[in-house]
Amino acid sequence: MAETTFTWSQIESPAAGARLAPGRHFVRGWVLPKPGSVIADVRARVGPRIFAGVHGGPRTDVAAHFSLGQPVALAAFEVVVALEPGDDTIDFEALELEGRWSSFDAVSFTIDSALPRAEIEVPAPPLSWLNHRRIVEAVLRRADGQVSPDWPALARDVVAMLPWPRDLRTPPPPFIG
């Protein structure tokens, strides 16, 4: 278990020091704020690249260990990270209530390029009608003033700018959105 001035945490899977294939991996663990601290979000950083996390999954074991007086601690998180040969350390950061991202844990792996590439599916629902409208608007703005726009190229450019993944996963109960 790792401890900072504002959290306790544990990176559970994959295990620290593991030999991983290049590609996308789920990293799972938990982070619990200390009394007086609040965590609003979690992310992972691999070098300059940032990967959004899903934070707030229920953990009965964490609640029991820290004697929280409630049946669950909303402390579990998971992050999908893309790892390439040469990457070895993932830094985990929590968004504190004050709006500041602060490091709470780090884990190192060996990325073995001899292993077959790991690719996991990250579920993403279709874009909503609102997203479609905004994407069409962005494509039309990019084409502004062009006599014969290359519509497929403009659409690919706009789609490439969308943050991915749009939705990391469907949140577990008790969450509904």
Side-chain angles (χ1 to χ4, degrees):
M1 178 177 4
E3 183 176 1
T4 67
T5 57
F6 72 105
T7 65
W8 295 282
S9 64
Q10 177 90 25
I11 309 303
E12 297 177 323
S13 171
R19 192 171 135 242
L20 302 175
R24 290 162 43 126
H25 297 272
F26 269 113
V27 180
R28 295 177 174 93
W30 58 265
V31 58
L32 184 69
K34 289 185 174 178
S37 296
V38 176
I39 295 175
D41 203 356
V42 169
R43 69 183 185 186
R45 183 184 295 273
V46 179
R49 296 172 294 148
I50 295 173
F51 301 92
V54 176
H55 176 253
R59 292 290 298 254
T60 56
D61 58 331
V62 173
H65 177 79
F66 288 97
S67 304
L68 298 179
Q70 48 197 14
V72 297
L74 300 178
F77 69 85
E78 58 183 34
V79 183
V80 177
V81 295
L83 301 173
E84 299 302 330
D87 292 340
D88 61 354
T89 301
I90 302 172
D91 294 308
F92 294 92
E93 299 174 334
L95 178 61
E96 296 180 73
L97 192 59
E98 298 81 15
R100 145 183 88 239
W101 287 98
S102 301
S103 181
F104 67 85
D105 209 339
V107 65
S108 294
F109 301 107
T110 300
I111 311 305
D112 188 344
S113 58
L115 294 172
R117 191 159 186 83
E119 290 301 333
I120 57 171
E121 290 289 326
V122 178
L127 294 170
S128 74
W129 67 269
L130 185 60
N131 297 117
H132 283 287
R133 185 191 68 76
R134 289 184 177 155
I135 290 171
V136 169
E137 179 183 28
V139 170
L140 291 173
R141 284 181 192 226
R142 282 183 165 262
D144 191 34
Q146 295 182 26
V147 175
S148 280
D150 181 353
W151 295 109
L154 291 171
R156 279 191 297 277
D157 290 347
V158 169
V159 169
M161 293 185 315
L162 294 173
W164 184 259
R166 291 181 304 281
D167 292 321
L168 300 176
R169 68 179 172 94
T170 303
F175 303 110
I176 58 171

